[in-house]
Amino acid sequence: MDPFEVMAEPVRRRIIEVLASGEHTAGEIAAAITAEFRITRTAVSKHLRILRDARFVEVRADERWRWYHFTATGLELLEDAVDELRDRMSGGVGEDPFGGGLRDPLRMPSDVVPRRGPGRPSRRGTRGRQRDGYVASEPDLGLFPTVVLPLFFDEERTVGGTS
């Protein structure tokens, strides 16, 4: 799981904050989190499992208690993800977020480029209007050719249905 996805949930961020102070039992963590976020102990257990699967926390069993602690691996995963983002930003096009200059000499300054960008004009107020006229049902244009079928009647019956 992506480290940003793991840390996106406020409950998991709070669990990490609690575990950064030291090792705690699952019951202590659940008591603190359920009081603060008003979620069940089962939900806290699921968040702990997600953190454990993502290698942010480790657990050790001591008789009937489970002791959780924050690992340096989780912090390294976050640092690696941030470093990867910085590498992508430094190789991009446009303004340099770190130095303030331009990374691409062919790019125009940001104050010259229009906010909407080049391209289509504004379409304000055209919703629900037809621009090209009503063409789809015009049989004279040949879009939907009409076929005249001959009508067959019984000799004894008339068109009105009386004999």
Side-chain angles (χ1 to χ4, degrees):
M1 183 178 250
D2 184 37
F4 291 125
E5 289 179 40
V6 174
M7 296 304 290
E9 179 67 36
V11 173
R12 291 194 283 264
R13 284 196 308 264
R14 181 65 179 131
I15 291 173
I16 292 296
E17 289 174 5
V18 169
L19 290 176
S21 67
E23 194 174 48
H24 296 282
T25 64
E28 293 170 345
I29 297 168
I33 300 300
T34 55
E36 188 173 342
F37 288 95
R38 296 184 183 205
I39 60 175
T40 63
R41 294 174 74 89
T42 305
V44 174
S45 175
K46 289 180 182 180
H47 286 294
L48 284 169
R49 181 177 42 88
I50 290 170
L51 288 170
R52 188 183 66 226
D53 291 345
R55 299 181 305 168
F56 275 75
V57 299
E58 287 182 355
V59 62
R60 69 176 175 87
D62 182 26
E63 294 181 9
R64 57 181 197 166
W65 292 284
R66 302 259 182 225
W67 291 87
Y68 286 88
H69 62 277
F70 183 59
T71 62
T73 307
L75 198 56
E76 289 171 4
L77 289 171
L78 278 174
E79 288 173 349
D80 291 344
V82 170
D83 288 340
E84 183 179 332
L85 281 178
R86 285 192 181 163
D87 290 343
R88 286 184 183 179
M89 286 176 65
S90 66
V93 179
E95 293 184 20
D96 185 13
F98 303 114
L102 294 177
R103 292 183 279 191
D104 183 7
L106 300 176
R107 182 183 174 276
M108 294 175 57
S110 62
D111 56 351
V112 176
V113 177
R115 203 173 173 126
R116 282 182 56 94
R120 304 184 326 189
S122 173
R123 295 182 46 194
R124 186 173 184 146
T126 60
R127 186 174 188 176
R129 295 188 200 155
Q130 292 183 352
R131 293 181 222 149
D132 298 333
Y134 196 69
V135 184
S137 66
E138 295 289 333
D140 296 336
L141 297 176
L143 295 175
F144 299 98
T146 57
V147 179
V148 179
L149 298 175
L151 296 174
F152 296 102
F153 294 102
D154 270 350
E155 295 175 327
E156 298 178 10
R157 296 182 89 185
T158 58
V159 177
T162 59
S163 302

